[in-house]
Amino acid sequence: MKYCILLAVITGVAGLEAATPAPSPDKKEELGKLLFFDPILSKNYKISCATCHKPRFAFADSAALSKGVKGKKGTRNTPTAMNIALSKTFFWDGRSSTLEQQALEPIQNPDEMNLSIEEAVQRLSKHERYNQYFKKIFGSGPTKENLAIAIASFERILETSDSPFDKWKFSDDPKAVSDAVKRGFAVFNTKGKCVKCHFGADFTAQEFRNVGLFNGRTLNDSGRARITNDPKDVGRFKTSSLRNIAITAPYMHNGMFHSLDEVIEFYNDTKKIVPDAINKDSLLVEPLGLTKQEKKDLKAFLNSLTDKRFKK
Amino acid sequence: MKLLSFAAVTLLIFTSENTLVGKWSGKPSEKGNVTSVNFKADNTLEGFVNKKPFVSGTYNFNPVDSTIFFIDNGCNGVSAVYKILFYSNSDSMRFQVISDACEERKQGMQRLVMGKVK
């Protein structure tokens, strides 16, 4: 009898927890967070933004190419959704110039969430809680515009600035990083030439560069050129941020490199990996000639860019 | 008299150098971004946006005419010379370009007004 009562209580509590909704959001970014994690924005109710932009991988994916609602793989690696508040363009080819534009694209993309924005807005309007939340925060029910604003507002707060490297520099704490990291930062700024493209608060100069991953055959994604139709842009992709890079493998627009070692080896001599690259940036024509120690130190520096929230 | 002049110049140099050394921070921009710079006593500098390091370099400050010569790890090693205009009891400063071939940096520097972080 006592066992039955205990079982009933446990079941009742579990049921109550399942039925209890998340706290009502007060701000746009809180509403955006709910939406980001909610599969209501996909055709089959099974995929949310967070399905591909996984928090534990700094809001990137651990697969080279992510699968959408139809189980079909996308064509480009899922970039991190963190540290994009300072970005000027979005997606590998920079086709969106605002975060609000970017936020709506995966929802409509047939290879991703496959839901028209009209239908997304209808679903949210018919959903009692979402309808209330939108009215509370925006003064009106769900619309295409405020849906975009909510998700973009959440993405804007996904900033990280507490890595060992940040502590070394901002807090002026030389003990925050090892000597290997310091040497690696020197390589990054000099012999490695990394800073030429990866310059800035998020280690990206926000440009489009061809690093030698286009040959028109096995590597035939022309990147930025698809948007601009400018032959100079063939094979160019937006330079990624390096913040949290150690946990956002695999790398490059197609996810072809599985580790930072592979990336460093590639940049050290791009011709060894892709001998027939077309329109490659002049910075990468000659091998860098990094020593084994320099490669190790460079990797140590890159590892130091992982925010402490991801430390195990 | 000579000794007095010498002492005055030395004091000027010493206090002017100390005036620059330290952390400086600007007000949030339209988009809410905060730029700050740490001028260190060893003639290195670190720049930050929203507490994120974005530029490292070296500088030389001339306290007599308040000009600063610096090179950072952006702008392909192109150096720059600016005059620093101090005001509000040297608690605030802004930059006036003398020479800087790096257009993006020049645009950023000319907008920058910073207060000393105490």
Side-chain angles (χ1 to χ4, degrees), chain B residues 5 25 58 108 114:
Chain B
S5 303
S25 182
T58 57
M114 296 194 288

Side-chain angles (χ1 to χ4, degrees), chain A residues 12-31:
Chain A
V13 167
L16 189 65
E17 280 184 349
T20 305
S24 169
D26 293 318
K27 300 178 194 174
K28 292 173 194 167
E29 55 267 28
E30 289 169 5
L31 173 57

Side-chain angles (χ1 to χ4, degrees), chain A residues 83 86 88 159-161 165-166 169-170 172 185 189 195-196 199-203 243, chain B residues 23 33 36 38 40 46 48-56 72-76 104:
Chain A
N83 299 299
L86 296 174
K88 296 173 195 170
E159 293 288 296
T160 67
S161 56
F165 177 82
D166 294 316
K169 291 291 181 178
F170 190 76
D172 214 5
F185 186 51
N189 283 311
V195 74
K196 305 277 186 193
F199 170 77
D202 293 316
F203 297 94
R243 286 193 168 272
Chain B
K23 290 186 181 176
N33 298 320
S36 56
N38 185 8
K40 297 189 196 177
E46 302 286 346
F48 307 93
V49 172
N50 302 333
K51 298 184 184 180
K52 295 180 180 181
F54 85 95
V55 72
S56 298
D72 60 49
N73 62 340
C75 292
N76 287 317
E104 202 172 328

Side-chain angles (χ1 to χ4, degrees), chain A residues 144-272:
Chain A
K144 175 182 174 182
E145 289 71 31
N146 59 29
L147 169 61
I149 289 171
I151 296 175
S153 298
F154 170 64
E155 290 178 312
R156 280 198 184 92
I157 65 170
L158 297 176
E159 293 288 296
T160 67
S161 56
D162 199 1
S163 66
F165 177 82
D166 294 316
K167 200 169 175 204
W168 171 31
K169 291 291 181 178
F170 190 76
S171 305
D172 214 5
D173 180 1
K175 291 182 196 152
V177 296
S178 64
D179 289 341
V181 170
K182 292 171 187 169
R183 291 193 303 265
F185 186 51
V187 172
F188 183 87
N189 283 311
T190 55
K191 193 174 173 184
K193 301 190 225 175
C194 319
V195 74
K196 305 277 186 193
C197 305
H198 290 283
F199 170 77
D202 293 316
F203 297 94
T204 167
Q206 309 273 352
E207 298 164 330
F208 298 93
R209 297 272 189 164
N210 180 329
V211 299
L213 295 179
F214 176 83
N215 61 12
R217 300 179 299 105
T218 52
L219 298 165
N220 61 357
D221 186 345
S222 56
R224 182 68 177 158
R226 287 191 192 171
I227 308 303
T228 63
N229 291 316
D230 186 341
K232 287 201 297 290
D233 285 334
V234 165
R236 285 181 176 171
F237 295 90
K238 187 180 159 190
T239 305
S240 298
S241 162
L242 296 181
R243 286 193 168 272
N244 306 306
I245 196 71
I247 61 169
T248 61
Y251 305 107
M252 304 306 186
H253 69 276
N254 54 6
M256 66 186 276
F257 297 129
H258 299 100
S259 67
L260 289 176
D261 292 311
E262 285 183 26
V263 173
I264 292 170
E265 280 306 318
F266 170 70
Y267 280 123
N268 192 44
D269 190 351
T270 58
K271 273 197 207 120
K272 266 191 183 165

